[in-house]
């Protein structure tokens, strides 16, 4: 029930067959094999030289890579050193600021203590002055009281006295008279005088 495949075409007389072509190719290959060997050797030498050059280049590249790596490592170390120096500088600045603040605080504390001492001294002087004034006032009051008691004991109303020591009314000095009373505010005794010639 399947259709039949058509038969292969018959070879044309006088044209080379596939076998003929293969034989010709093998023959030509034998003739060219010597040339190919020479070419292969030359190519092999070129490849070997190229590999040697590449190996030499790879050694130089490795050396350069090592140098670059060492330079990078040195740069990293330098960078780390710079960071450490920067950190040390910041630490030193922070320490200096701390010392400055401490010194400022101590200065202000000394000023506060000096001010308190001066204020305390001023208060003590004021208290001492106040005490001196109070003592002086008390002493004056005692003296006035003594004078008053003395005058009160010395004279009494009706006593006969001789006036002396007057400044504004000197003409009355030497006159006699009787005590009429007492002026307590200024410790004076009014006297009724009798002028004598």
């Amino acid at each position: 029930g399947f259709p039949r495949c058509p038969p292969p075409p018959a070879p044309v007389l006088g044209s080379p067959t596939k076998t003929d072509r293969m034989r010709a190719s093998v023959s030509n290959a034998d003739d060219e094999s010597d040339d190919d060997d020479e070419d292969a050797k030359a190519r092999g030498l070129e490849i070997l030289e190229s590999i040697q050059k590449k190996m030499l280049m790879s050694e130089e590249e490795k050396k350069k890579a090592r140098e670059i790596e060492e330079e990078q490592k040195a740069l990293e170390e330098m960078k780390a050193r710079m960071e450490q120096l920067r950190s040390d500088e910041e630490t030193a600045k922070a320490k200096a600021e701390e010392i400055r603040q401490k010194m400022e605080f101590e200065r202000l504390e000394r000023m506060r203590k000096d001010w308190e001492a001066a204020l305390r001294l001023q208060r003590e002087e004021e208290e001492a002055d106040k005490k001196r004034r109070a003592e002086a006032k008390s002493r004056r009051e005692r003296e006035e009281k003594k004078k008053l008691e003395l005058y009160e004991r010395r004279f009494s109303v009706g006593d006969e006295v001789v006036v002396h020591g007057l400044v504004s009314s000197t003409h009355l000095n030497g006159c006699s008279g009787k005590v009429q009373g007492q002026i307590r505010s200024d410790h004076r005794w009014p006297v009724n005088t009798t002028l004598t010639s």
Side-chain angles (χ1 to χ4, degrees):
F2 293 102
R4 288 188 178 186
C5 293
V12 179
L13 294 174
S15 63
T17 63
K18 185 176 182 181
T19 304
D20 293 337
R21 284 195 301 270
M22 288 179 65
R23 283 184 187 150
S25 175
V26 169
S27 175
N28 290 335
D30 290 338
D31 293 338
E32 294 175 356
S33 63
D34 294 336
D35 296 334
D36 290 341
D37 289 342
E38 293 296 327
D39 292 340
K41 287 179 181 179
R43 282 196 302 274
L45 289 173
E46 289 178 1
I47 291 170
L48 184 61
E49 289 177 0
S50 174
I51 289 171
Q52 288 176 348
K53 286 181 181 180
K54 285 182 180 178
M55 288 177 67
L56 289 173
M57 287 178 65
S58 68
E59 288 296 326
E60 291 178 359
E61 287 174 357
K62 285 179 183 178
K63 185 177 179 182
K64 286 182 180 179
R66 283 195 299 271
E67 290 175 356
I68 291 171
E69 185 178 354
E70 289 174 358
E71 289 178 359
Q72 287 178 347
K73 187 177 180 181
L75 286 173
E76 290 294 328
E77 290 177 356
M78 187 179 293
K79 185 177 179 182
R81 181 62 181 163
M82 291 294 291
E83 289 293 330
Q84 184 64 35
L85 289 173
R86 190 177 294 112
S87 176
D88 293 345
E89 183 181 2
E90 291 175 358
T91 304
K93 284 182 179 178
K95 187 69 176 176
E97 180 65 19
E98 183 181 352
I99 292 171
R100 188 191 67 78
Q101 289 180 358
K102 185 177 180 181
M103 291 175 65
E104 182 68 14
F105 175 77
E106 290 176 353
R107 185 182 70 83
L108 292 174
E109 189 66 17
R110 284 195 303 270
M111 287 178 62
R112 184 185 66 81
K113 288 181 179 179
D114 292 343
W115 179 79
E116 287 179 352
L119 184 62
R120 186 168 54 253
L121 182 62
Q122 182 181 358
R123 286 177 180 171
E124 289 174 356
E125 289 177 352
E126 288 176 354
E127 290 293 329
D129 186 59
K130 188 176 179 181
K131 187 177 180 180
R132 284 193 300 270
R133 289 182 182 181
E135 288 176 354
K137 183 179 179 182
S138 176
R139 188 167 53 251
R140 284 195 306 270
E141 288 176 352
R142 287 195 303 270
E143 289 174 356
E144 293 293 330
K145 188 176 181 182
K146 281 183 181 180
K147 287 180 181 179
L148 181 60
E149 290 174 355
L150 180 63
Y151 282 116
E152 285 177 352
R153 285 197 306 268
R154 183 181 294 178
F155 303 106
S156 59
V157 177
D159 287 347
E160 288 189 4
V161 295
V162 177
V163 178
H164 65 87
L166 296 177
V167 177
S168 59
S169 301
T170 55
H171 63 284
L172 296 176
N173 288 330
C175 296
S176 61
K178 289 185 179 181
V179 176
Q180 299 295 315
Q182 180 185 11
I183 302 174
R184 290 181 178 273
S185 60
D186 53 2
H187 311 296
R188 291 187 300 166
W189 299 82
V191 176
N192 187 7
T193 61
T194 303
L195 292 174
T196 60
S197 54

